[in-house]
Amino acid sequence: MSLFLDALAGHDTARAPLWLMRQAGRYLPEYRALKERYSFWEMVRTPDLAAEVTMQPLRRFGMDAAILFQDIMTPLPAMGVDLEFAPGPVISRPVRSAAAAAALRVPEQEEIAPFAGEAIRLVAAATATPLIGFAGAPLTLASYLIEGGGSKDFATFRAFLQTQPEAAHALLDKLTETGIRYLRMQLEAGVSAVQLFDSWAGLHHELAFREFGLPYVRRTFEALADSGAPRLYLAVGASHLYDAIAELPCEAVSVDWRTPLSVVRHLMPGKVLQGNLDPAALLAPRDRLASDARRVLDEGLGGAHVFNLGHGVMQQTDPGNVQALVDIVRGFDRHASGVGSKVGVSERALGAAPS
Ligand code: CP3
């Protein structure tokens, strides 16, 4: 079994497997070279190109997992959504009424992004490295669909949830069913694990998250349980939601950089933890990067840990710093790195009083 799947099975592996969110993309010169000839959306929709971009970070760094080069918006055109990238998603007709939600289709599994399935088959045939499939969580997709694009605080979206909750639930229901079909397609095509990106879950109060977010994520994960593939969940800025997130039927939770893994470990019994270096640490001088990465590795002791960033690689990152990070994580022997630091970390985390 691969190191990545071993850790996701809950094993306290001797080395932390490593991959990075947004490990493919504009910080890599080989990606920018393709970007001169093709638009982002062209690359996403052309299986050869999507497979090539997926493999670029594997070739350069030998990551322990690949993530399919697609976007959380990929399944939406099949629902009847018109969208562009500039560079973030822009929805030409935002969904702002019950009628607009009712007009969206729930496509059949084989209608949803067949090019993504083809890209998965190409990657699976070319490498033994496990491939991660993904989808946007329903609440995060709804944020873009209702707001019409990215936003600092998604005020229109939050107002919509409060003023038109029934329309919101109708939309979330369709996004959930489409997402389940899309993820099933990816599993059949050959991905070994699936991650739900709930990038904007942290915008909401716990009660709103429990009403509009959690049930749809739970339904998605439950629908995929029979595949046996590990299920990962990512939310950002969501430490106020950890009680709710701990209830999810998933194997792993990706933690952003704000909270030490050693603290989250106690809040998520039974979950594998993924994370959680600040993406900005990759912009720091090497000695600072090294000490920050070692701190994360230390805080990840005491249970299964998949090393990652707290969110995606920043565009201005030097690939040489990513290589330095890979070397640090590879060189860290978790079993030799001592019970001493493990105990120290968890005591700090619990704020334990001296006995
Ligand atoms: O390497 C990987 O992680 C796989 C590819 C991937 C992309 N988007 C490619 C991409 C993944 C997993 C995503 C997920 C995604 N897309 C999320 C969830 C993760 C997160 O960051 O919170 C969200 C919110 C989106 C929506 C989206 N797509 C935004 C906000 C943007 C613009 C911001 C930016 O970074 O430019 C995109 C465009 C996008 N998706 C790019 C890439 C490589 C940049 C396109 C380009 O090359 O111009």
Side-chain angles (χ1 to χ4, degrees), residues 20-26 31 35 40 67-73 85 87-89 134 140 144 197 199-200 234 311:
L20 304 180
M21 288 185 271
R22 287 289 176 90
Q23 63 187 18
R26 285 168 298 189
Y31 175 84
K35 225 9 232 301
F40 169 65
I67 180 155
L68 180 65
F69 186 74
Q70 287 294 328
D71 197 83
I72 58 169
M73 303 293 150
F85 284 87
F134 72 91
T140 285
Y144 286 97
F197 284 91
S199 315
W200 296 104
L234 161 118
H311 203 179

PDB file of all heavy atoms in Angstrom, residues 20-26 31 35 40 67-73 85 87-89 134 140 144 197 199-200 234 311, ligand 1:
ATOM      1  N   LEU A  20       0.569  18.785  -1.763  1.00  0.00           N
ATOM      2  CA  LEU A  20       0.210  20.163  -1.453  1.00  0.00           C
ATOM      3  C   LEU A  20      -1.019  20.568  -2.244  1.00  0.00           C
ATOM      4  O   LEU A  20      -1.114  20.280  -3.445  1.00  0.00           O
ATOM      5  CB  LEU A  20       1.357  21.122  -1.817  1.00  0.00           C
ATOM      6  CG  LEU A  20       2.721  20.833  -1.188  1.00  0.00           C
ATOM      7  CD1 LEU A  20       3.740  21.866  -1.649  1.00  0.00           C
ATOM      8  CD2 LEU A  20       2.649  20.809   0.334  1.00  0.00           C
ATOM      9  N   MET A  21      -1.939  21.204  -1.574  1.00  0.00           N
ATOM     10  CA  MET A  21      -3.074  21.752  -2.313  1.00  0.00           C
ATOM     11  C   MET A  21      -2.549  22.777  -3.310  1.00  0.00           C
ATOM     12  O   MET A  21      -1.632  23.535  -2.990  1.00  0.00           O
ATOM     13  CB  MET A  21      -4.089  22.360  -1.338  1.00  0.00           C
ATOM     14  CG  MET A  21      -4.824  21.254  -0.573  1.00  0.00           C
ATOM     15  SD  MET A  21      -6.119  21.865   0.490  1.00  0.00           S
ATOM     16  CE  MET A  21      -5.174  22.151   1.979  1.00  0.00           C
ATOM     17  N   ARG A  22      -3.117  22.773  -4.509  1.00  0.00           N
ATOM     18  CA  ARG A  22      -2.639  23.599  -5.622  1.00  0.00           C
ATOM     19  C   ARG A  22      -1.175  23.317  -5.955  1.00  0.00           C
ATOM     20  O   ARG A  22      -0.427  24.239  -6.266  1.00  0.00           O
ATOM     21  CB  ARG A  22      -2.800  25.096  -5.317  1.00  0.00           C
ATOM     22  CG  ARG A  22      -4.219  25.592  -5.377  1.00  0.00           C
ATOM     23  CD  ARG A  22      -4.732  25.640  -6.807  1.00  0.00           C
ATOM     24  NE  ARG A  22      -6.123  26.019  -6.846  1.00  0.00           N
ATOM     25  CZ  ARG A  22      -6.551  27.276  -6.937  1.00  0.00           C
ATOM     26  NH1 ARG A  22      -5.693  28.257  -7.019  1.00  0.00           N
ATOM     27  NH2 ARG A  22      -7.836  27.520  -6.960  1.00  0.00           N
ATOM     28  N   GLN A  23      -0.791  22.028  -5.870  1.00  0.00           N
ATOM     29  CA  GLN A  23       0.601  21.701  -6.208  1.00  0.00           C
ATOM     30  C   GLN A  23       0.868  21.860  -7.696  1.00  0.00           C
ATOM     31  O   GLN A  23       2.013  21.994  -8.113  1.00  0.00           O
ATOM     32  CB  GLN A  23       0.971  20.300  -5.718  1.00  0.00           C
ATOM     33  CG  GLN A  23       0.201  19.148  -6.340  1.00  0.00           C
ATOM     34  CD  GLN A  23       0.521  17.804  -5.646  1.00  0.00           C
ATOM     35  OE1 GLN A  23       1.041  17.767  -4.540  1.00  0.00           O
ATOM     36  NE2 GLN A  23       0.204  16.705  -6.307  1.00  0.00           N
ATOM     37  N   ALA A  24      -0.202  21.832  -8.505  1.00  0.00           N
ATOM     38  CA  ALA A  24      -0.079  22.192  -9.918  1.00  0.00           C
ATOM     39  C   ALA A  24      -0.560  23.636 -10.050  1.00  0.00           C
ATOM     40  O   ALA A  24      -1.411  24.064  -9.295  1.00  0.00           O
ATOM     41  CB  ALA A  24      -0.960  21.271 -10.765  1.00  0.00           C
ATOM     42  N   GLY A  25       0.004  24.362 -10.995  1.00  0.00           N
ATOM     43  CA  GLY A  25      -0.499  25.722 -11.187  1.00  0.00           C
ATOM     44  C   GLY A  25       0.584  26.731 -11.460  1.00  0.00           C
ATOM     45  O   GLY A  25       1.725  26.375 -11.763  1.00  0.00           O
ATOM     46  N   ARG A  26       0.200  27.995 -11.311  1.00  0.00           N
ATOM     47  CA  ARG A  26       1.001  29.076 -11.882  1.00  0.00           C
ATOM     48  C   ARG A  26       2.371  29.275 -11.267  1.00  0.00           C
ATOM     49  O   ARG A  26       3.212  29.954 -11.858  1.00  0.00           O
ATOM     50  CB  ARG A  26       0.210  30.396 -11.803  1.00  0.00           C
ATOM     51  CG  ARG A  26      -0.893  30.454 -12.835  1.00  0.00           C
ATOM     52  CD  ARG A  26      -1.842  31.587 -12.569  1.00  0.00           C
ATOM     53  NE  ARG A  26      -2.481  31.384 -11.275  1.00  0.00           N
ATOM     54  CZ  ARG A  26      -3.494  32.104 -10.818  1.00  0.00           C
ATOM     55  NH1 ARG A  26      -3.959  33.109 -11.511  1.00  0.00           N
ATOM     56  NH2 ARG A  26      -4.018  31.837  -9.648  1.00  0.00           N
ATOM     57  N   TYR A  31       3.908  24.834 -15.963  1.00  0.00           N
ATOM     58  CA  TYR A  31       2.476  25.147 -16.082  1.00  0.00           C
ATOM     59  C   TYR A  31       2.302  26.461 -16.862  1.00  0.00           C
ATOM     60  O   TYR A  31       1.499  26.553 -17.780  1.00  0.00           O
ATOM     61  CB  TYR A  31       1.834  25.264 -14.696  1.00  0.00           C
ATOM     62  CG  TYR A  31       0.371  25.697 -14.731  1.00  0.00           C
ATOM     63  CD1 TYR A  31      -0.644  24.774 -14.936  1.00  0.00           C
ATOM     64  CD2 TYR A  31       0.011  27.041 -14.578  1.00  0.00           C
ATOM     65  CE1 TYR A  31      -1.982  25.162 -14.974  1.00  0.00           C
ATOM     66  CE2 TYR A  31      -1.319  27.438 -14.617  1.00  0.00           C
ATOM     67  CZ  TYR A  31      -2.312  26.492 -14.812  1.00  0.00           C
ATOM     68  OH  TYR A  31      -3.626  26.890 -14.854  1.00  0.00           O
ATOM     69  N   LYS A  35       0.220  27.507 -20.188  1.00  0.00           N
ATOM     70  CA  LYS A  35      -0.755  28.595 -20.068  1.00  0.00           C
ATOM     71  C   LYS A  35      -0.588  29.646 -21.174  1.00  0.00           C
ATOM     72  O   LYS A  35      -1.505  30.394 -21.475  1.00  0.00           O
ATOM     73  CB  LYS A  35      -0.555  29.228 -18.702  1.00  0.00           C
ATOM     74  CG  LYS A  35      -1.659  29.609 -17.744  1.00  0.00           C
ATOM     75  CD  LYS A  35      -3.039  29.236 -17.941  1.00  0.00           C
ATOM     76  CE  LYS A  35      -4.042  30.366 -17.869  1.00  0.00           C
ATOM     77  NZ  LYS A  35      -4.136  31.139 -16.692  1.00  0.00           N
ATOM     78  N   PHE A  40      -6.982  28.372 -19.029  1.00  0.00           N
ATOM     79  CA  PHE A  40      -7.187  27.458 -17.911  1.00  0.00           C
ATOM     80  C   PHE A  40      -8.318  26.482 -18.225  1.00  0.00           C
ATOM     81  O   PHE A  40      -8.201  25.271 -18.050  1.00  0.00           O
ATOM     82  CB  PHE A  40      -7.507  28.278 -16.648  1.00  0.00           C
ATOM     83  CG  PHE A  40      -7.992  27.451 -15.494  1.00  0.00           C
ATOM     84  CD1 PHE A  40      -7.165  26.522 -14.882  1.00  0.00           C
ATOM     85  CD2 PHE A  40      -9.283  27.613 -15.008  1.00  0.00           C
ATOM     86  CE1 PHE A  40      -7.615  25.755 -13.808  1.00  0.00           C
ATOM     87  CE2 PHE A  40      -9.739  26.853 -13.943  1.00  0.00           C
ATOM     88  CZ  PHE A  40      -8.914  25.930 -13.342  1.00  0.00           C
ATOM     89  N   ILE A  67      -3.190  15.351  -7.227  1.00  0.00           N
ATOM     90  CA  ILE A  67      -4.592  15.773  -7.214  1.00  0.00           C
ATOM     91  C   ILE A  67      -4.987  16.126  -8.632  1.00  0.00           C
ATOM     92  O   ILE A  67      -4.226  16.790  -9.350  1.00  0.00           O
ATOM     93  CB  ILE A  67      -4.862  16.936  -6.228  1.00  0.00           C
ATOM     94  CG1 ILE A  67      -6.349  17.321  -6.273  1.00  0.00           C
ATOM     95  CG2 ILE A  67      -3.960  18.132  -6.504  1.00  0.00           C
ATOM     96  CD1 ILE A  67      -6.880  17.975  -5.019  1.00  0.00           C
ATOM     97  N   LEU A  68      -6.131  15.628  -9.014  1.00  0.00           N
ATOM     98  CA  LEU A  68      -6.621  15.827 -10.371  1.00  0.00           C
ATOM     99  C   LEU A  68      -6.668  17.314 -10.708  1.00  0.00           C
ATOM    100  O   LEU A  68      -7.158  18.117  -9.916  1.00  0.00           O
ATOM    101  CB  LEU A  68      -8.034  15.230 -10.453  1.00  0.00           C
ATOM    102  CG  LEU A  68      -8.725  15.337 -11.804  1.00  0.00           C
ATOM    103  CD1 LEU A  68      -7.989  14.522 -12.844  1.00  0.00           C
ATOM    104  CD2 LEU A  68     -10.171  14.877 -11.665  1.00  0.00           C
ATOM    105  N   PHE A  69      -6.152  17.669 -11.872  1.00  0.00           N
ATOM    106  CA  PHE A  69      -6.223  19.065 -12.284  1.00  0.00           C
ATOM    107  C   PHE A  69      -7.602  19.348 -12.876  1.00  0.00           C
ATOM    108  O   PHE A  69      -7.895  19.011 -14.033  1.00  0.00           O
ATOM    109  CB  PHE A  69      -5.127  19.396 -13.305  1.00  0.00           C
ATOM    110  CG  PHE A  69      -5.099  20.861 -13.639  1.00  0.00           C
ATOM    111  CD1 PHE A  69      -4.586  21.774 -12.734  1.00  0.00           C
ATOM    112  CD2 PHE A  69      -5.620  21.329 -14.828  1.00  0.00           C
ATOM    113  CE1 PHE A  69      -4.591  23.130 -13.011  1.00  0.00           C
ATOM    114  CE2 PHE A  69      -5.627  22.684 -15.118  1.00  0.00           C
ATOM    115  CZ  PHE A  69      -5.108  23.581 -14.210  1.00  0.00           C
ATOM    116  N   GLN A  70      -8.455  19.906 -12.026  1.00  0.00           N
ATOM    117  CA  GLN A  70      -9.782  20.361 -12.416  1.00  0.00           C
ATOM    118  C   GLN A  70     -10.102  21.542 -11.521  1.00  0.00           C
ATOM    119  O   GLN A  70      -9.204  22.104 -10.905  1.00  0.00           O
ATOM    120  CB  GLN A  70     -10.834  19.230 -12.230  1.00  0.00           C
ATOM    121  CG  GLN A  70     -10.733  18.124 -13.270  1.00  0.00           C
ATOM    122  CD  GLN A  70     -11.085  18.602 -14.677  1.00  0.00           C
ATOM    123  OE1 GLN A  70     -11.917  19.488 -14.871  1.00  0.00           O
ATOM    124  NE2 GLN A  70     -10.421  18.032 -15.686  1.00  0.00           N
ATOM    125  N   ASP A  71     -11.351  21.934 -11.427  1.00  0.00           N
ATOM    126  CA  ASP A  71     -11.743  23.019 -10.549  1.00  0.00           C
ATOM    127  C   ASP A  71     -13.018  22.601  -9.837  1.00  0.00           C
ATOM    128  O   ASP A  71     -13.733  21.716 -10.329  1.00  0.00           O
ATOM    129  CB  ASP A  71     -11.984  24.302 -11.354  1.00  0.00           C
ATOM    130  CG  ASP A  71     -11.994  25.525 -10.448  1.00  0.00           C
ATOM    131  OD1 ASP A  71     -10.916  26.038 -10.122  1.00  0.00           O
ATOM    132  OD2 ASP A  71     -13.094  25.946 -10.039  1.00  0.00           O
ATOM    133  N   ILE A  72     -13.316  23.238  -8.694  1.00  0.00           N
ATOM    134  CA  ILE A  72     -14.588  22.895  -8.048  1.00  0.00           C
ATOM    135  C   ILE A  72     -15.780  23.269  -8.944  1.00  0.00           C
ATOM    136  O   ILE A  72     -16.864  22.753  -8.763  1.00  0.00           O
ATOM    137  CB  ILE A  72     -14.740  23.531  -6.640  1.00  0.00           C
ATOM    138  CG1 ILE A  72     -14.628  25.044  -6.692  1.00  0.00           C
ATOM    139  CG2 ILE A  72     -13.711  22.938  -5.674  1.00  0.00           C
ATOM    140  CD1 ILE A  72     -15.050  25.717  -5.366  1.00  0.00           C
ATOM    141  N   MET A  73     -15.558  24.148  -9.923  1.00  0.00           N
ATOM    142  CA  MET A  73     -16.655  24.553 -10.816  1.00  0.00           C
ATOM    143  C   MET A  73     -16.891  23.554 -11.963  1.00  0.00           C
ATOM    144  O   MET A  73     -17.876  23.680 -12.691  1.00  0.00           O
ATOM    145  CB  MET A  73     -16.344  25.923 -11.448  1.00  0.00           C
ATOM    146  CG  MET A  73     -16.093  27.021 -10.443  1.00  0.00           C
ATOM    147  SD  MET A  73     -17.590  27.410  -9.533  1.00  0.00           S
ATOM    148  CE  MET A  73     -16.854  27.936  -8.003  1.00  0.00           C
ATOM    149  N   PHE A  85     -13.625  31.992 -16.306  1.00  0.00           N
ATOM    150  CA  PHE A  85     -12.580  32.208 -15.309  1.00  0.00           C
ATOM    151  C   PHE A  85     -11.820  33.479 -15.630  1.00  0.00           C
ATOM    152  O   PHE A  85     -11.371  33.661 -16.767  1.00  0.00           O
ATOM    153  CB  PHE A  85     -11.619  31.019 -15.271  1.00  0.00           C
ATOM    154  CG  PHE A  85     -12.222  29.840 -14.560  1.00  0.00           C
ATOM    155  CD1 PHE A  85     -13.010  28.928 -15.238  1.00  0.00           C
ATOM    156  CD2 PHE A  85     -12.023  29.672 -13.202  1.00  0.00           C
ATOM    157  CE1 PHE A  85     -13.591  27.858 -14.572  1.00  0.00           C
ATOM    158  CE2 PHE A  85     -12.602  28.616 -12.526  1.00  0.00           C
ATOM    159  CZ  PHE A  85     -13.383  27.700 -13.217  1.00  0.00           C
ATOM    160  N   PRO A  87      -9.216  35.560 -13.109  1.00  0.00           N
ATOM    161  CA  PRO A  87      -8.924  34.135 -13.206  1.00  0.00           C
ATOM    162  C   PRO A  87      -9.854  33.306 -12.337  1.00  0.00           C
ATOM    163  O   PRO A  87      -9.974  32.109 -12.526  1.00  0.00           O
ATOM    164  CB  PRO A  87      -7.479  34.036 -12.705  1.00  0.00           C
ATOM    165  CG  PRO A  87      -7.364  35.146 -11.707  1.00  0.00           C
ATOM    166  CD  PRO A  87      -8.289  36.240 -12.178  1.00  0.00           C
ATOM    167  N   GLY A  88     -10.514  33.943 -11.366  1.00  0.00           N
ATOM    168  CA  GLY A  88     -11.483  33.223 -10.531  1.00  0.00           C
ATOM    169  C   GLY A  88     -12.785  33.047 -11.288  1.00  0.00           C
ATOM    170  O   GLY A  88     -13.003  33.686 -12.323  1.00  0.00           O
ATOM    171  N   PRO A  89     -13.683  32.171 -10.789  1.00  0.00           N
ATOM    172  CA  PRO A  89     -14.927  31.901 -11.495  1.00  0.00           C
ATOM    173  C   PRO A  89     -15.874  33.111 -11.505  1.00  0.00           C
ATOM    174  O   PRO A  89     -15.991  33.811 -10.507  1.00  0.00           O
ATOM    175  CB  PRO A  89     -15.548  30.744 -10.700  1.00  0.00           C
ATOM    176  CG  PRO A  89     -14.839  30.711  -9.390  1.00  0.00           C
ATOM    177  CD  PRO A  89     -13.515  31.346  -9.575  1.00  0.00           C
ATOM    178  N   PHE A 134     -11.758  15.143  -6.422  1.00  0.00           N
ATOM    179  CA  PHE A 134     -12.343  16.124  -5.504  1.00  0.00           C
ATOM    180  C   PHE A 134     -13.594  16.746  -6.084  1.00  0.00           C
ATOM    181  O   PHE A 134     -13.888  16.635  -7.274  1.00  0.00           O
ATOM    182  CB  PHE A 134     -11.323  17.215  -5.139  1.00  0.00           C
ATOM    183  CG  PHE A 134     -11.018  18.181  -6.260  1.00  0.00           C
ATOM    184  CD1 PHE A 134     -11.747  19.349  -6.409  1.00  0.00           C
ATOM    185  CD2 PHE A 134      -9.997  17.920  -7.169  1.00  0.00           C
ATOM    186  CE1 PHE A 134     -11.465  20.255  -7.435  1.00  0.00           C
ATOM    187  CE2 PHE A 134      -9.704  18.807  -8.195  1.00  0.00           C
ATOM    188  CZ  PHE A 134     -10.442  19.983  -8.329  1.00  0.00           C
ATOM    189  N   THR A 140     -20.089  25.657  -0.401  1.00  0.00           N
ATOM    190  CA  THR A 140     -19.081  26.496  -1.061  1.00  0.00           C
ATOM    191  C   THR A 140     -19.446  26.734  -2.529  1.00  0.00           C
ATOM    192  O   THR A 140     -19.305  27.851  -3.038  1.00  0.00           O
ATOM    193  CB  THR A 140     -17.679  25.862  -0.891  1.00  0.00           C
ATOM    194  OG1 THR A 140     -17.260  26.090   0.454  1.00  0.00           O
ATOM    195  CG2 THR A 140     -16.658  26.452  -1.851  1.00  0.00           C
ATOM    196  N   TYR A 144     -20.509  30.652  -4.580  1.00  0.00           N
ATOM    197  CA  TYR A 144     -20.150  31.242  -5.880  1.00  0.00           C
ATOM    198  C   TYR A 144     -21.379  31.414  -6.763  1.00  0.00           C
ATOM    199  O   TYR A 144     -21.534  32.430  -7.453  1.00  0.00           O
ATOM    200  CB  TYR A 144     -19.112  30.374  -6.597  1.00  0.00           C
ATOM    201  CG  TYR A 144     -17.734  30.483  -5.987  1.00  0.00           C
ATOM    202  CD1 TYR A 144     -17.279  29.558  -5.068  1.00  0.00           C
ATOM    203  CD2 TYR A 144     -16.888  31.539  -6.332  1.00  0.00           C
ATOM    204  CE1 TYR A 144     -16.020  29.665  -4.492  1.00  0.00           C
ATOM    205  CE2 TYR A 144     -15.627  31.656  -5.764  1.00  0.00           C
ATOM    206  CZ  TYR A 144     -15.202  30.711  -4.848  1.00  0.00           C
ATOM    207  OH  TYR A 144     -13.955  30.841  -4.281  1.00  0.00           O
ATOM    208  N   PHE A 197     -13.850  20.148  -0.931  1.00  0.00           N
ATOM    209  CA  PHE A 197     -13.339  21.482  -0.611  1.00  0.00           C
ATOM    210  C   PHE A 197     -14.501  22.358  -0.144  1.00  0.00           C
ATOM    211  O   PHE A 197     -15.353  22.733  -0.936  1.00  0.00           O
ATOM    212  CB  PHE A 197     -12.684  22.122  -1.842  1.00  0.00           C
ATOM    213  CG  PHE A 197     -11.322  21.569  -2.168  1.00  0.00           C
ATOM    214  CD1 PHE A 197     -11.176  20.500  -3.035  1.00  0.00           C
ATOM    215  CD2 PHE A 197     -10.178  22.141  -1.624  1.00  0.00           C
ATOM    216  CE1 PHE A 197      -9.900  20.007  -3.351  1.00  0.00           C
ATOM    217  CE2 PHE A 197      -8.907  21.653  -1.937  1.00  0.00           C
ATOM    218  CZ  PHE A 197      -8.775  20.583  -2.792  1.00  0.00           C
ATOM    219  N   SER A 199     -14.201  25.533   1.101  1.00  0.00           N
ATOM    220  CA  SER A 199     -13.290  26.649   1.348  1.00  0.00           C
ATOM    221  C   SER A 199     -13.946  27.787   2.127  1.00  0.00           C
ATOM    222  O   SER A 199     -13.267  28.518   2.831  1.00  0.00           O
ATOM    223  CB  SER A 199     -12.771  27.190   0.022  1.00  0.00           C
ATOM    224  OG  SER A 199     -12.386  26.123  -0.805  1.00  0.00           O
ATOM    225  N   TRP A 200     -15.259  27.959   1.981  1.00  0.00           N
ATOM    226  CA  TRP A 200     -15.939  29.104   2.590  1.00  0.00           C
ATOM    227  C   TRP A 200     -16.856  28.724   3.733  1.00  0.00           C
ATOM    228  O   TRP A 200     -17.653  29.546   4.196  1.00  0.00           O
ATOM    229  CB  TRP A 200     -16.689  29.897   1.508  1.00  0.00           C
ATOM    230  CG  TRP A 200     -15.731  30.480   0.522  1.00  0.00           C
ATOM    231  CD1 TRP A 200     -15.472  30.033  -0.737  1.00  0.00           C
ATOM    232  CD2 TRP A 200     -14.861  31.599   0.739  1.00  0.00           C
ATOM    233  NE1 TRP A 200     -14.490  30.798  -1.333  1.00  0.00           N
ATOM    234  CE2 TRP A 200     -14.104  31.768  -0.446  1.00  0.00           C
ATOM    235  CE3 TRP A 200     -14.639  32.471   1.821  1.00  0.00           C
ATOM    236  CZ2 TRP A 200     -13.142  32.775  -0.580  1.00  0.00           C
ATOM    237  CZ3 TRP A 200     -13.686  33.471   1.673  1.00  0.00           C
ATOM    238  CH2 TRP A 200     -12.948  33.611   0.484  1.00  0.00           C
ATOM    239  N   LEU A 234     -12.055  19.488   3.780  1.00  0.00           N
ATOM    240  CA  LEU A 234     -11.293  20.711   4.050  1.00  0.00           C
ATOM    241  C   LEU A 234     -12.236  21.885   4.247  1.00  0.00           C
ATOM    242  O   LEU A 234     -13.115  22.125   3.421  1.00  0.00           O
ATOM    243  CB  LEU A 234     -10.371  21.033   2.864  1.00  0.00           C
ATOM    244  CG  LEU A 234      -9.887  22.494   2.848  1.00  0.00           C
ATOM    245  CD1 LEU A 234      -8.394  22.590   2.977  1.00  0.00           C
ATOM    246  CD2 LEU A 234     -10.346  23.245   1.634  1.00  0.00           C
ATOM    247  N   HIS A 311      -3.716  25.681   3.169  1.00  0.00           N
ATOM    248  CA  HIS A 311      -4.537  26.027   2.006  1.00  0.00           C
ATOM    249  C   HIS A 311      -3.606  25.956   0.806  1.00  0.00           C
ATOM    250  O   HIS A 311      -2.508  25.420   0.938  1.00  0.00           O
ATOM    251  CB  HIS A 311      -5.171  27.408   2.213  1.00  0.00           C
ATOM    252  CG  HIS A 311      -6.417  27.643   1.407  1.00  0.00           C
ATOM    253  ND1 HIS A 311      -7.144  28.810   1.473  1.00  0.00           N
ATOM    254  CD2 HIS A 311      -7.068  26.861   0.494  1.00  0.00           C
ATOM    255  CE1 HIS A 311      -8.197  28.738   0.654  1.00  0.00           C
ATOM    256  NE2 HIS A 311      -8.162  27.563   0.047  1.00  0.00           N
TER     257      HIS A 311
HETATM  258  O1  CP3 B   1      -3.388  21.432  -7.790  1.00  0.00           O
HETATM  259  C1  CP3 B   1      -4.559  21.393  -7.365  1.00  0.00           C
HETATM  260  O2  CP3 B   1      -4.852  21.655  -6.166  1.00  0.00           O
HETATM  261  C2  CP3 B   1      -5.667  20.914  -8.296  1.00  0.00           C
HETATM  262  C3  CP3 B   1      -6.359  21.888  -9.021  1.00  0.00           C
HETATM  263  C4  CP3 B   1      -7.385  22.818  -8.388  1.00  0.00           C
HETATM  264  C5  CP3 B   1      -7.720  24.055  -8.988  1.00  0.00           C
HETATM  265  N1  CP3 B   1      -8.761  24.591  -8.308  1.00  0.00           N
HETATM  266  C6  CP3 B   1      -7.059  24.621 -10.179  1.00  0.00           C
HETATM  267  C7  CP3 B   1      -7.147  26.071 -10.426  1.00  0.00           C
HETATM  268  C8  CP3 B   1      -8.221  22.656  -7.273  1.00  0.00           C
HETATM  269  C9  CP3 B   1      -8.264  21.534  -6.253  1.00  0.00           C
HETATM  270  C10 CP3 B   1      -9.090  23.778  -7.251  1.00  0.00           C
HETATM  271  C11 CP3 B   1     -10.147  23.941  -6.254  1.00  0.00           C
HETATM  272  C12 CP3 B   1     -10.814  25.245  -6.136  1.00  0.00           C
HETATM  273  N2  CP3 B   1     -11.175  26.111  -7.121  1.00  0.00           N
HETATM  274  C13 CP3 B   1     -11.281  25.772  -4.915  1.00  0.00           C
HETATM  275  C14 CP3 B   1     -11.180  25.087  -3.588  1.00  0.00           C
HETATM  276  C15 CP3 B   1      -9.836  25.181  -3.012  1.00  0.00           C
HETATM  277  C16 CP3 B   1      -9.509  26.544  -2.470  1.00  0.00           C
HETATM  278  O3  CP3 B   1      -8.592  27.168  -3.009  1.00  0.00           O
HETATM  279  O4  CP3 B   1     -10.148  26.936  -1.486  1.00  0.00           O
HETATM  280  C17 CP3 B   1     -11.892  27.002  -5.183  1.00  0.00           C
HETATM  281  C18 CP3 B   1     -12.514  27.934  -4.172  1.00  0.00           C
HETATM  282  C19 CP3 B   1     -11.829  27.195  -6.592  1.00  0.00           C
HETATM  283  C20 CP3 B   1     -12.403  28.320  -7.375  1.00  0.00           C
HETATM  284  C21 CP3 B   1     -11.337  29.046  -8.102  1.00  0.00           C
HETATM  285  N3  CP3 B   1     -10.731  28.581  -9.258  1.00  0.00           N
HETATM  286  C22 CP3 B   1     -10.767  30.284  -7.783  1.00  0.00           C
HETATM  287  C23 CP3 B   1     -11.150  31.141  -6.592  1.00  0.00           C
HETATM  288  C24 CP3 B   1      -9.808  30.548  -8.759  1.00  0.00           C
HETATM  289  C25 CP3 B   1      -8.994  31.809  -8.909  1.00  0.00           C
HETATM  290  C26 CP3 B   1      -8.008  31.979  -7.830  1.00  0.00           C
HETATM  291  C27 CP3 B   1      -6.643  31.621  -8.316  1.00  0.00           C
HETATM  292  O5  CP3 B   1      -5.925  30.942  -7.584  1.00  0.00           O
HETATM  293  O6  CP3 B   1      -6.305  32.040  -9.429  1.00  0.00           O
HETATM  294  C28 CP3 B   1      -9.776  29.462  -9.665  1.00  0.00           C
HETATM  295  C29 CP3 B   1      -8.910  29.280 -10.835  1.00  0.00           C
HETATM  296  C30 CP3 B   1      -7.952  28.147 -10.755  1.00  0.00           C
HETATM  297  N4  CP3 B   1      -8.260  26.876 -10.336  1.00  0.00           N
HETATM  298  C31 CP3 B   1      -6.585  28.169 -11.142  1.00  0.00           C
HETATM  299  C32 CP3 B   1      -6.088  26.873 -10.949  1.00  0.00           C
HETATM  300  C33 CP3 B   1      -4.690  26.366 -11.262  1.00  0.00           C
HETATM  301  C34 CP3 B   1      -5.849  29.370 -11.708  1.00  0.00           C
HETATM  302  C35 CP3 B   1      -6.164  29.448 -13.167  1.00  0.00           C
HETATM  303  C36 CP3 B   1      -5.049  30.046 -13.977  1.00  0.00           C
HETATM  304  O7  CP3 B   1      -4.078  29.337 -14.271  1.00  0.00           O
HETATM  305  O8  CP3 B   1      -5.172  31.219 -14.339  1.00  0.00           O
END
